[in-house]
């Protein structure tokens, strides 16, 4: 168990509204230490579980091979109060700064909305229009992240919560590791709520099919993960991400990882494993199986057309 209380502090400020943040040094490396914010919905808890959500969410991204910030759970004591905190390795360095997608979006003068506009069509058109980075790489990261966010129930991935690393000397940029996963896994759920969700199929279904939704909107409404992934109107890149990412998700390994976390209770461990398993089984797996079935039917139809064409050619000869 790691206590960051007496870690060396650095004079660096971090932006963002979700909880206090300070810079510390751990094992010779600089980390952003994030503290749990006060709850805005569930006033029955002193602090949210966002630091735990951040840690688990990032570990899941790592498990499927998506570049993500390194995270370490620990504690920090101040004014006699000990809190669970998460240390996020600082992937910036002197001369290398982080620029969010909103900043890139603001450079596109034909964008219909400002940088923080979350309309899907506008985001995708910005990805195509920008010239700072390969658009195919950017689309791949965008949709890969979307699929994992569907699994972990992340409702807060707007344009300010993903972005790029920019070399201020050369002006070159690259896609930054995934960061800001603290809004997944129902961070304001206390143990009573967790137990209620595990005991009630109706409550569980509401938190799978109704909310949390994606932060991104389509046709003026926030995207529901299940409805979108089961739709006939998924962009090709989203179908590719679904096909590539789902087979990499190992729920038993994820549950094992959660069971090894020292800072959380037995109920929390049981809930996180249960909730992730249910989201996988009720959102991602049905969407994946449907996609595989549709692609199989399409190939069968194409093979039939090819055979018919070949038969026609034979007859003409």
């Amino acid at each position: 168990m790691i206590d960051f209380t007496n870690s060396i502090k650095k004079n660096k400020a971090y932006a963002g509204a979700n909880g206090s943040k300070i810079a510390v040094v751990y094992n010779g490396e600089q980390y952003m230490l994030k503290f749990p914010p006060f709850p805005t919905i569930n006033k029955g808890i002193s602090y949210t579980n966002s630091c735990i959500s951040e840690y688990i969410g990032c570990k899941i991204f790592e498990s499927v091979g998506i570049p993500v910030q390194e995270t370490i759970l620990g504690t920090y004591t101040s004014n006699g109060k000990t809190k669970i905190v998460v240390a996020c390795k600082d992937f910036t360095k002197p001369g290398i700064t982080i620029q969010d997608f909103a900043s890139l979006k603001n450079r596109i003068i034909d964008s219909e909305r400002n940088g923080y506009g979350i309309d899907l069509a506008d985001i995708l058109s910005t990805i195509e229009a920008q010239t700072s980075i390969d658009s195919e790489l950017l689309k791949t990261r965008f949709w890969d992240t979307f699929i994992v966010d569907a699994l972990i129930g992340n409702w807060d991935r707007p344009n300010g919560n993903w972005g790029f690393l920019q070399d201020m000397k050369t002006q070159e940029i690259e896609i930054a590791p995934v960061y800001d996963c603290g809004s997944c896994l129902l961070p304001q759920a206390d143990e009573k709520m967790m137990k209620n969700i595990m005991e009630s199929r109706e409550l569980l279904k509401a938190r799978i099919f109704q909310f949390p939704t994606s932060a991104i909107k389509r046709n003026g409404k926030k995207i529901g993960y299940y409805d979108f992934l089961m739709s006939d109107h998924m962009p090709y890149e989203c179908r590719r991400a679904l096909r590539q990412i789902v087979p990499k998700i190992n729920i038993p390994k994820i549950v094992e990882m959660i069971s090894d976390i020292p800072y959380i209770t037995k109920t929390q461990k049981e809930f996180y494993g249960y909730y992730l398993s249910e989201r996988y089984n009720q959102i991602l797996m049905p969407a994946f199986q449907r996609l595989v079935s549709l692609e199989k039917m399409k190939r069968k139809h194409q093979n039939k057309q090819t055979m018919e064409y070949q038969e026609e050619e034979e007859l003409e000869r």
Side-chain angles (χ1 to χ4, degrees):
M1 300 178 74
I2 301 169
D3 184 356
F4 290 102
T5 306
N6 296 317
S7 298
I8 298 172
K9 312 300 188 296
K10 302 290 286 186
N11 187 26
K12 180 174 180 177
Y14 295 102
N18 193 19
S20 301
K21 307 172 182 70
I22 62 173
V24 299
V25 175
Y26 176 73
N27 282 349
E29 301 281 355
Q30 185 163 303
Y31 286 79
M32 174 178 64
L33 200 63
K34 299 179 76 169
F35 292 77
F38 293 106
T40 56
I41 299 174
N42 184 1
K43 301 298 183 179
I45 56 177
S46 300
Y47 302 98
T48 75
N49 296 314
S50 63
C51 291
I52 299 165
S53 298
E54 182 90 53
Y55 177 80
I56 296 175
C58 289
K59 290 299 180 184
I60 292 173
F61 272 100
E62 181 183 4
S63 73
V64 298
I66 297 175
V68 63
Q69 65 182 0
E70 178 189 321
T71 53
I72 304 171
L73 272 183
T75 60
Y76 192 96
T77 301
S78 177
N79 296 323
K81 295 181 179 180
T82 300
K83 302 174 185 177
I84 296 176
V85 295
V86 61
C88 305
K89 191 171 182 179
D90 194 333
F91 44 71
T92 65
K93 55 186 178 181
I96 306 294
T97 63
I98 187 164
Q99 302 289 332
D100 60 25
F101 181 74
S103 302
L104 180 67
K105 194 167 179 287
N106 275 332
R107 301 178 198 173
I108 308 302
I109 60 175
D110 292 328
S111 176
E112 296 179 6
R113 297 166 180 84
N114 64 28
Y116 291 96
I118 52 177
D119 178 77
L120 177 61
D122 198 38
I123 290 172
L124 295 179
S125 66
T126 298
I127 290 175
E128 289 287 354
Q130 60 79 37
T131 57
S132 300
I133 200 163
D134 184 271
S135 62
E136 292 302 315
L137 290 176
L138 199 50
K139 281 187 287 187
T140 296
R141 175 63 63 82
F142 175 82
W143 287 115
D144 285 355
T145 301
F146 182 89
I147 297 301
V148 178
D149 278 344
L151 171 65
I152 64 180
N154 189 3
W155 53 266
D156 191 29
R157 185 80 65 193
N159 299 337
N161 282 0
W162 66 288
F164 315 90
L165 296 176
Q166 182 172 22
D167 187 315
M168 301 308 292
K169 184 176 181 180
T170 66
Q171 296 302 302
E172 293 180 351
I173 72 169
E174 61 180 278
I175 304 173
V178 172
Y179 57 93
D180 273 346
C181 298
S183 295
C184 70
L185 297 173
L186 306 179
Q188 295 199 42
D190 54 22
E191 291 200 13
K192 180 180 179 181
M193 187 182 298
M194 291 177 179
K195 290 178 181 179
N196 288 340
I197 293 171
M198 287 190 286
E199 293 169 359
S200 169
R201 297 302 294 181
E202 291 303 312
L203 288 177
L204 175 66
K205 286 181 179 179
R207 283 157 179 81
I208 287 178
F209 300 116
Q210 296 177 25
F211 58 89
T213 62
S214 169
I216 301 165
K217 291 184 177 181
R218 191 177 196 184
N219 299 323
K221 295 181 179 180
K222 287 189 175 182
I223 292 173
Y225 286 114
Y226 175 82
D227 292 337
F228 185 83
L229 293 175
M230 293 293 287
S231 168
D232 291 329
H233 305 293
M234 272 195 296
Y236 166 78
E237 292 82 7
C238 184
R239 297 198 301 272
R240 181 215 57 78
L242 183 66
R243 191 187 312 108
Q244 295 293 323
I245 296 298
V246 171
K248 296 178 181 179
I249 298 171
N250 189 326
I251 292 297
K253 284 289 186 181
I254 291 172
V255 172
E256 182 181 352
M257 176 270 293
I258 292 171
S259 70
D260 290 336
I261 298 175
Y263 300 96
I264 59 179
T265 66
K266 181 180 178 181
T267 297
Q268 287 176 300
K269 293 178 181 182
E270 183 181 356
F271 171 75
Y272 292 134
Y274 174 77
Y275 187 56
L276 286 165
S277 298
E278 290 294 329
R279 291 189 69 85
Y280 175 81
N281 290 328
Q282 298 195 48
I283 297 178
L284 292 188
M285 187 49 65
F288 176 77
Q289 291 173 337
R290 180 177 183 272
L291 177 63
V292 170
S293 177
L294 289 173
E295 290 180 341
K296 184 177 180 180
M297 290 174 60
K298 183 178 179 180
R299 287 194 298 269
K300 185 176 180 180
H301 179 68
Q302 289 173 338
N303 290 337
K304 182 180 179 180
Q305 286 185 321
T306 300
M307 290 178 63
E308 290 175 349
Y309 177 75
Q310 290 173 344
E311 289 174 356
E312 289 176 0
E313 281 192 327
E314 288 293 328
L315 290 172
E316 288 177 359
R317 291 190 186 124

